[in-house]
Amino acid sequence: MCTTVRFRTVARRALGAMTTATPPTASTPASAADLTPEGRKRRGTAQAAARHKTAVDAMLHPRQPGEAAGAAPYRLVLGGVRARLLATRRRMEDALACGDLAALPPLDPDDPFPPYEDAADLAAVLQALYWSCWECGSGVIGEGRLLDLLRRLAVFGLGLVPLDIRQESTRHAAAMDAVARHVGAGPYGEWGEQERCAWLASELASRRPLIPRDAPLDPDAAEVIATCRVAAGLGATSLSAYVISMARTPSDVLAVELLLREAARSSDPPLPPPAVRVVPLFETLDDLTAAAGVMTSLFAVPWYRDRLRDVHGDHQEVMLGYSDSGKDAGRLAAAWALYRAQEEIVAVCEAAGVRLTLFHGRGGTVGRGGGPMYVAIQSQPPGSVRGSLRLTEQGEMIGAKFGIPAVARQQLEVYTTAVLMATLSPPVPPRDPGWRGVMETLAASSCAAYRAVVFSDPAFVPYFRAATPEAELGSLNIGSRPARRPAGEAGVAGLRAIPWQFAWTQNRSVLPAWLGIGTAVSDLVSADPAALGTLRAMYKEWPFFTSTIDLAEV
């Protein structure tokens, strides 16, 4: 009898969570720690042994004549879950049909089975059922498909996977220039960095709207604003981050924060400011060198520091570009610039009390930072991997690494192992401080040799176009962006990094992965024969240098 009563109690609790969409109570906790074996044992087994019949007891002592048969509470609760999931799917289909989530009619407050708007609503019901199984002595049932579903919900939510939006910093600056001119603030595009930051910080701290809904903006600026409105409407569960490519200054980040907020305000109806992470992407050699200074200036802006604390929990994400830096300076100089940038950004975030996640924009080929992922993670600077890491998997590497379930599982194990080891036992820094000076010399020499060929030799561009399918790649509809940057320079400078690397991969020479390295090593040893012994010690004892040389040899 007590089992039936307990079923009904949990069913009422689950139905309450389902219809009112309130967070789980103390008796149905939603924390991930409660799903650990220790938490399940403490929460379920102890209570079942103390207060309820076990499943064996229920079989040995069946229901007596006259006892209520119950109302199949699990079926009742899951029937409501099914109705809400169907309503959620219908609403998503309607949103896709009209092309605008904000244009959908408001939800009916009297609907007993409204669409789910947050994964936590669904998790509250499923966790109530899970604990019911344990507390009624049927934990083995909860440990099956129900626990699998809870884990999938924790990982994928209701949207499967959140997406990133990526836009170039020059597009944001042009949009801000159009807005500033329209409201009479002045020519934003002609201002210096200090004046831009001061104006942006002032507008971010202001409560008044900046951009009118019917502002007559040019098509490019209107497209940027429309993208920001979409970002505001999607929310954090569907949109992970707004990545600013070619970020160079603090104003690049503040401009996006202002555009996102104003796009939400000018929506119809107005939307709350989106809690989207704004992620600067430092790509070229100069940008990587200046990255730490940019983050220092950004953290010094009171509005931004407050938002980082209040909205993102003192968490900052920074993306590093491997493809563009390699195209700009060659692989060796780019690798060293990336290493130094990570060290400096880590130090800046530690001084500001900010948790850092580094987002590595790596590709499949060595010239784009590719290579064995375990080796790559283990060769990062000490302190740059602290339990979190983001990286890109692009193009054919997605199918190669995750197309087969067994291979995908192995890849995830490699990533997890490498991150845990890099966190618990960080990679060693260079043993000899003089090794940094050697790397500075090698990087400068290899960069000069690389640029002398790629950017200064007049015969190189004709050779590049004749030896690689660069022109044909630009005609293929296989990339997310055009092969060349808008209004970019002719030759190699205006070509995007991905077709540059891909073109050399097609003729199997993989030139960006090694050009300049041999010259740098040869010049160093010729100037000082004893440097050969230093290079051998660096290769043997410094994981960063070891992986850099090994990948160049590949």
Side-chain angles (χ1 to χ4, degrees):
M1 187 68 180
C2 67
T3 302
T4 302
V5 172
R6 186 59 183 168
F7 276 177
R8 290 173 176 170
T9 301
V10 175
R12 284 195 298 270
R13 182 196 307 156
L15 285 171
M18 181 174 63
T19 56
T20 62
T22 56
T25 62
S27 59
T28 58
S31 66
D34 289 320
L35 297 182
T36 63
E38 295 79 6
R40 293 196 299 271
K41 182 177 180 180
R42 181 181 62 254
R43 169 74 182 180
T45 307
Q47 292 190 16
R51 297 189 294 173
H52 304 300
K53 292 181 179 180
T54 65
V56 175
D57 290 335
M59 289 187 293
L60 293 177
H61 305 286
R63 187 177 68 251
Q64 299 299 317
E67 282 187 308
Y74 289 166
R75 185 183 298 274
L76 180 65
V77 171
L78 291 174
V81 171
R82 181 178 184 272
R84 292 195 65 180
L85 287 173
L86 290 174
T88 303
R89 186 173 70 179
R90 286 194 300 269
R91 188 164 180 83
M92 291 302 101
E93 290 172 347
D94 293 343
L96 290 173
C98 72
D100 186 2
L101 189 62
L104 293 176
L107 297 175
D108 182 3
D110 298 325
D111 186 354
F113 302 111
Y116 285 110
E117 296 186 359
D118 194 293
D121 296 344
L122 178 57
V125 184
L126 297 180
Q127 286 196 350
L129 299 177
Y130 175 84
W131 294 125
S132 171
C133 291
W134 270 100
E135 293 170 357
C136 295
S138 301
V140 66
I141 298 176
E143 291 294 300
R145 295 173 64 184
L146 178 57
L147 182 58
D148 289 343
L149 179 59
L150 280 167
R151 285 170 172 161
R152 291 191 181 100
L153 185 63
V155 173
F156 302 112
L158 295 176
L160 183 62
V161 60
L163 301 177
D164 288 353
I165 291 180
R166 181 167 166 176
Q167 184 60 274
E168 196 165 325
S169 60
T170 55
R171 294 290 303 277
H172 304 133
M176 288 308 310
D177 182 70
V179 170
R181 290 177 184 272
H182 175 73
V183 301
Y188 178 89
E190 301 175 9
W191 295 346
E193 177 59 19
Q194 188 174 0
E195 189 175 2
R196 287 187 181 188
C197 286
W199 182 74
L200 291 169
S202 174
E203 291 298 331
L204 286 166
S206 174
R207 293 179 177 271
R208 63 172 178 80
L210 175 66
I211 305 176
R213 294 181 183 177
D214 56 349
L217 303 176
D218 61 83
D220 289 341
E223 181 186 14
V224 172
I225 299 295
T227 301
C228 291
R229 287 199 180 105
V230 171
L234 287 176
T237 57
S238 298
L239 183 61
S240 174
Y242 194 114
V243 180
I244 309 168
S245 59
M246 291 296 174
R248 294 185 169 91
T249 61
S251 65
D252 291 334
V253 178
L254 297 177
V256 172
E257 292 280 10
L258 182 58
L259 287 170
L260 287 171
R261 192 192 71 175
E262 291 303 317
R265 282 181 173 180
S266 61
S267 297
D268 189 16
L271 298 171
V276 177
R277 303 193 311 275
V278 177
V279 180
L281 166 54
F282 301 104
E283 300 186 72
T284 66
L285 184 65
D286 291 340
D287 295 341
L288 289 169
T289 303
V294 171
M295 299 309 301
T296 300
S297 300
L298 197 56
F299 293 153
V301 178
W303 182 92
Y304 186 81
R305 190 63 187 86
D306 291 343
R307 178 172 175 80
L308 207 62
R309 181 188 62 249
D310 299 337
V311 178
H312 302 295
D314 276 331
H315 176 236
Q316 174 70 56
E317 185 174 317
V318 176
M319 188 172 181
L320 304 173
Y322 286 67
S323 299
D324 277 280
S325 59
K327 171 178 170 285
D328 178 44
R331 185 70 259 143
L332 183 60
W336 179 236
L338 286 160
Y339 189 92
R340 287 190 296 106
Q342 291 179 69
E343 288 184 317
E344 293 167 358
I345 294 172
V346 166
V348 168
C349 289
E350 285 183 348
V354 173
R355 292 183 300 110
L356 172 67
T357 294
L358 289 170
F359 185 2
H360 299 268
R362 310 172 70 97
T365 61
V366 175
R368 297 182 59 204
M373 190 51 59
Y374 181 86
V375 175
I377 295 176
Q378 285 295 299
S379 60
Q380 300 300 312
S384 62
V385 181
R386 293 183 175 176
S388 66
L389 178 76
R390 286 195 80 195
L391 51 89
T392 55
E393 292 289 3
Q394 304 177 19
E396 71 282 1
M397 300 308 297
I398 298 176
K401 291 186 175 182
F402 301 100
I404 301 174
V407 177
R409 188 179 302 111
Q410 181 187 35
Q411 290 295 324
L412 293 175
E413 289 175 354
V414 169
Y415 292 168
T416 303
T417 302
V419 170
L420 286 174
M421 291 190 65
T423 301
L424 300 176
S425 180
V428 296
R431 175 178 58 80
D432 187 342
W435 291 357
R436 292 181 175 274
V438 174
M439 276 307 306
E440 292 288 351
T441 301
L442 290 173
S445 180
S446 66
C447 181
Y450 174 88
R451 288 177 171 175
V453 174
V454 174
F455 296 106
S456 300
D457 191 334
F460 179 77
V461 172
Y463 165 72
F464 169 58
R465 290 175 174 165
T468 70
E470 179 260 341
E472 289 75 13
L473 290 175
S475 303
L476 296 178
N477 189 25
I478 60 174
S480 59
R481 292 167 292 172
R484 291 189 170 274
R485 298 187 183 276
E489 302 176 32
V492 177
L495 187 68
R496 292 189 187 273
I498 293 178
W500 160 257
Q501 303 282 355
F502 192 36
W504 288 111
T505 303
Q506 293 302 299
N507 70 5
R508 300 300 186 264
S509 67
V510 201
L511 178 140
W514 52 264
L515 182 62
I517 298 179
T519 301
V521 173
S522 177
D523 290 349
L524 180 67
V525 174
S526 297
D528 180 11
L532 182 59
T534 302
L535 294 176
R536 288 172 175 167
M538 292 169 62
Y539 179 80
K540 183 179 179 180
E541 301 179 36
W542 191 8
F544 161 75
F545 191 72
T546 304
S547 65
T548 301
I549 298 301
D550 286 347
L551 291 175
E553 287 185 334
V554 171

